[in-house]
Amino acid sequence: MADTVRAAVQAAPGVIEVREFPRPVVGPDDGLLRVEANGVCGSDVEIYRGHLRPMGQEGGGPVPFVAGHEAMGVVEEIGDRAAGRWGVRAGDRVAVEIIVPCHACRRCLAGHYQSCPNRRYNHGATGIDVAPSLWGGLAEYMYLSPGTIVHPIDPGLPAEVAALFNPMGAGVRWACHLGRVSLGDTVLVLGAGQRGLCSVIAARAAGAGRVIVTGLAADARKLALAREFGADHTIVADEEDTVARVRELTGGDLADVVLELTPMAAEPVTDALLSARHGGRVVLAGLKGDREIPLRTDVIVNRALTVVGAYGVDHRAYREAIALIESRRFALEKLHTHSFGLEETVKAIETLAGGTAIHVSVHP
């Protein structure tokens, strides 16, 4: 058993270094995950570039941290109390949530642990100055603190498919829980990235009647996959007028639910509002680098729209997403396009940033 663990540390914007750390000593209340795969998120790209701060790192310069917030793997070691609390044991395969809440405050006890005011740690964001440093999934082993939330996942799934638990969780939460997609609804998904495609799958599983997806001309492969996964229509946003095309496709009815998932772009926010029917719902999930985005509030008022901000994925969405993955109902292996080793972490991030990849994972 090695005494050290290799991990990819983001030392500064545009700088990731593979470093070694002491292997954590596991006590009765915590554990250690042998990382099989860590999915690369669009936010990882923006954090790597310095456009976004790691979640939980507020003010001042970002602290060096072990990156990776979409980790899944096998429980290597676990304390007795942790095993009883989490309902898993050594050798079990689990997916790990990003947020590490306190589990005891008013918000946590009410089920709103994402807004826990006492949380000090987040996987893939906590600084290496916080012992034992291995808080991210881009490492051979990741520390599981007492407050960690884990979800058992089928050991028979290929690692790259199991690693889709986070984007699929986003699709389930954004389309079904926040968007409230129901039988027969028309759903518009702005953005054909991994989470856009997972939203198509979730909307179809929820019984949507019509699904429309937008992408760019460069996204031809992604749009083809969107149609394969259940989209009825695709729109090439840099060649067509999105709102006019939605109006045409729906006979003027527009969309019941609109999901705006595009990174950094401002125009799709306006398209989302103008494409929603009177009384419709708009879910905003695409991060814009903390920039101020023009907002036509009269459209919201005059159309009686409900606009919802999507903050990550919660316990319910993870469980439903994992069940959907485990059902093998959809050919999810087609979403995964690239796998890399730990030393290739920068290449993995740049590959996703290039725009042609869909789902990328690092396998330490």
Side-chain angles (χ1 to χ4, degrees), residues 152-154 157 161-162 164-165 167-173 175-177 197-207 229 316-333 335:
I153 191 165
D154 186 347
L157 289 168
V161 173
L164 283 161
F165 74 94
M168 187 60 71
V172 168
R173 178 163 167 77
C176 303
H177 303 167
L197 294 173
C198 286
S199 295
V200 171
I201 292 168
R204 272 296 175 218
F229 284 127
R316 176 189 171 196
Y318 278 122
R319 288 306 314 148
E320 292 180 7
I322 289 171
L324 189 57
I325 294 170
E326 291 176 337
S327 76
R328 296 167 171 78
R329 175 179 169 187
F330 296 92
L332 298 181
E333 65 277 1
L335 285 176

Side-chain angles (χ1 to χ4, degrees), residues 17-18 34 38 79 128 131-132 141 147 164 176 187 201 214-215 223 225 240 252 286 294 326 335 347:
E17 304 166 344
V18 176
R34 175 171 56 81
N38 187 97
I128 59 174
Y141 294 92
L164 283 161
C176 303
V187 180
I201 292 168
T214 72
L223 293 175
L225 265 181
E240 304 175 84
E326 291 176 337
L335 285 176
K347 186 176 180 181

Side-chain angles (χ1 to χ4, degrees), residues 142-218:
M142 187 173 77
Y143 175 63
L144 303 177
S145 72
T148 299
I149 302 172
V150 301
H151 298 272
I153 191 165
D154 186 347
L157 289 168
E160 60 272 16
V161 173
L164 283 161
F165 74 94
N166 185 285
M168 187 60 71
V172 168
R173 178 163 167 77
W174 300 347
C176 303
H177 303 167
L178 300 180
R180 298 183 184 175
V181 172
S182 58
L183 291 174
D185 277 351
T186 292
V187 180
L188 171 64
V189 180
L190 298 166
Q194 54 182 283
R195 282 162 176 75
L197 294 173
C198 286
S199 295
V200 171
I201 292 168
R204 272 296 175 218
R210 181 192 290 119
V211 178
I212 305 168
V213 181
T214 72
L216 304 177

Side-chain angles (χ1 to χ4, degrees), residues 208-335:
R210 181 192 290 119
V211 178
I212 305 168
V213 181
T214 72
L216 304 177
D219 295 329
R221 180 183 182 185
K222 297 176 184 177
L223 293 175
L225 265 181
R227 292 189 292 271
E228 188 170 339
F229 284 127
D232 300 282
H233 307 283
T234 55
I235 298 171
V236 181
D238 48 353
E239 295 179 356
E240 304 175 84
D241 183 315
T242 295
V243 179
R245 187 77 176 114
V246 171
R247 188 176 296 277
E248 177 187 352
L249 291 171
T250 62
D253 290 339
L254 300 177
D256 300 290
V257 179
V258 182
L259 309 180
E260 200 289 299
L261 313 182
T262 65
M264 308 305 288
E267 185 177 352
V269 176
T270 299
D271 288 343
L273 299 178
L274 294 176
S275 297
R277 66 164 175 81
H278 191 277
R281 295 180 69 83
V282 176
V283 178
L284 302 180
L287 293 172
K288 310 302 182 185
D290 206 29
R291 294 179 298 128
E292 190 166 324
I293 301 296
L295 188 65
R296 294 178 59 177
T297 57
D298 283 0
V299 177
I300 298 173
V301 173
N302 291 328
R303 293 198 181 180
L305 300 179
T306 298
V307 180
V308 182
Y311 179 76
V313 185
D314 64 4
H315 188 278
R316 176 189 171 196
Y318 278 122
R319 288 306 314 148
E320 292 180 7
I322 289 171
L324 189 57
I325 294 170
E326 291 176 337
S327 76
R328 296 167 171 78
R329 175 179 169 187
F330 296 92
L332 298 181
E333 65 277 1
K334 295 182 179 181
L335 285 176

